Amino acid sequence: MSDDSDAALARRAIDGDDAAAAALVRRYQRSVFGVCLRMLGRREDAEDVAQEAFLRLFKHLHRWDASRPLRPWLMTITVNRCRTALSRRARKQPLLPGDLDPTDTSVPLTDAALAEELQRAVDGLRDDHRAAFVLFHYEEMSLQEVGEALERPDGTIKTWLHRARKQLSETLSRRGIQPDQRRSDSPRSLTREPIRA
Amino acid sequence: MPNSPPEIEPLPESLRLTLPAWRADLDVPDLAPGVVRRLRSTPTVEPPPRNWAHVGWATLAAGLLIASSFVPNAFRQGVDQDAESAIVEAQPISAPSGTNLQPLDGSETTVVRVETPPEDTDENIREPRAFPADRLTLRENLLPKDLFSADRLAGAWAALPDPNRTWRDEVRDGVQPFRDGAQTVATLFAEALPPARRPY
């Protein structure tokens, strides 16, 4: 029975085993690509940066301490690559309330529309706030793991999370996204309300 | 893994209802083929730490190789000098101004360069260039012969402060320390300098 632990795959990848390298990529590509997509907001950018993150991982893999988990280190590399990509490209223009179609109100939103709305709000966050929010709420890392990945103390991460949530909530409210008060039987229902001046 | 530890505040309602859809909305591409291809096409894997013994042997071998390429060349340089100069003369050469290219002894391929004396125009008539030895003689003639004579040096030495006296003695006697001697030496050097060159 072959050893498919991270350490064993890493050793084989360092020795030039393509299958082991591919297995490592497939094990973590959902996390890496997901973080890249949530951080960058563009699918094509996320694919490029995710590949760069894995290439950087393999480049420095011989320095990895196999007694420690691989995922936090990989997340650190991924977030750093995302920050570099964000600094390279011009930031996306923040969405304006005028983008909302005023006729499309009080309509229950689909999951895809909700995801798109939240992603557009996440795009407007500051880079470090966005990284903390994505790692905690998307990657479901603990506060300590997020702190290690972003090289910040837990208190700083809690502050960043608080500010990110507050800004996201305000952005969603400005976009008219709020719980549907008329449908008390469906607690997960959200609607778009007309924007008040 | 718990998503919301106790120390984390509860999520706002709109955010709490939006997060599940945001987390689930992901179509992950297969990155492995692209990563492996780029991994093998570019030398991104860092080599293991260097074995310094190998580095030393490689440096020594490179040094020997370089030395072996220089020594035979230096040895052959004297032996083949005549042959190389013959080869250089036999090669076709470009024709700079003032030269004529003529066949040598009826040969069709060998060409020698024949220096053509410059025509006697006003531009080519120049004064003969003075050699450095002549200039040295000229400079010596400009210097006064008795500049560093024994009398002048003795006078300068006499003006210098007594080496057995300290600056405390000079201060006590009301004499500026070393002032007279310094002025004498400065005068000597000023006189030793050649006169200012006249503009041409």
Side-chain angles (χ1 to χ4, degrees), chain B residues 165-177:
Chain B
R165 291 166 61 87
T166 64
W167 66 273
R168 295 179 187 275
D169 300 331
E170 301 284 344
V171 172
R172 185 190 59 208
D173 298 342
V175 179
Q176 290 286 345

Side-chain angles (χ1 to χ4, degrees), chain A residues 30-41:
Chain A
R30 180 174 184 83
S31 295
V32 171
F33 177 75
V35 169
C36 289
L37 184 60
R38 302 313 179 201
M39 286 285 292
L40 302 173

Side-chain angles (χ1 to χ4, degrees), chain A residues 13 16 18 22 25-26 29-30 33-34 37-38 43 47 50-51 54-55 58-60 62-63 111 114-115 118-119 133 136-138 140 142-143 158 162 165 169 179 187-188 190, chain B residues 1-5 7-36 38-40 42 44-47:
Chain A
D18 289 349
V25 172
R26 291 196 173 99
Q29 67 183 2
R30 180 174 184 83
F33 177 75
L37 184 60
R38 302 313 179 201
R43 188 176 179 84
E47 288 188 22
Q51 285 199 2
F54 278 115
L55 289 174
F58 288 120
K59 180 179 179 181
H60 300 290
H62 65 277
R63 298 180 187 168
D111 284 351
L114 286 176
L118 183 52
Q119 181 58 48
F133 183 84
F136 188 80
H137 285 291
Y138 174 79
E140 298 186 334
S142 68
L143 271 179
K158 286 175 68 175
H162 170 76
R165 290 165 169 172
S169 179
R188 291 177 56 87
L190 288 168
Chain B
M1 186 180 300
N3 187 12
S4 298
E7 66 269 24
I8 295 296
E9 59 194 350
L11 285 172
E13 185 70 6
S14 58
L15 196 55
R16 187 178 63 82
L17 295 177
T18 315
L19 268 175
W22 180 69
R23 275 201 292 253
D25 181 35
L26 186 65
D27 180 18
V28 183
D30 188 9
L31 301 173
V35 171
V36 171
R38 290 176 63 181
L39 193 63
R40 299 308 169 210
T42 57
T44 54
V45 177
E46 281 193 350

Side-chain angles (χ1 to χ4, degrees), chain B residues 74-88:
Chain B
F75 179 72
R76 270 200 315 268
Q77 194 170 10
V79 179
D80 299 341
Q81 191 171 8
D82 295 336
E84 288 181 359
S85 60
I87 293 172
V88 169

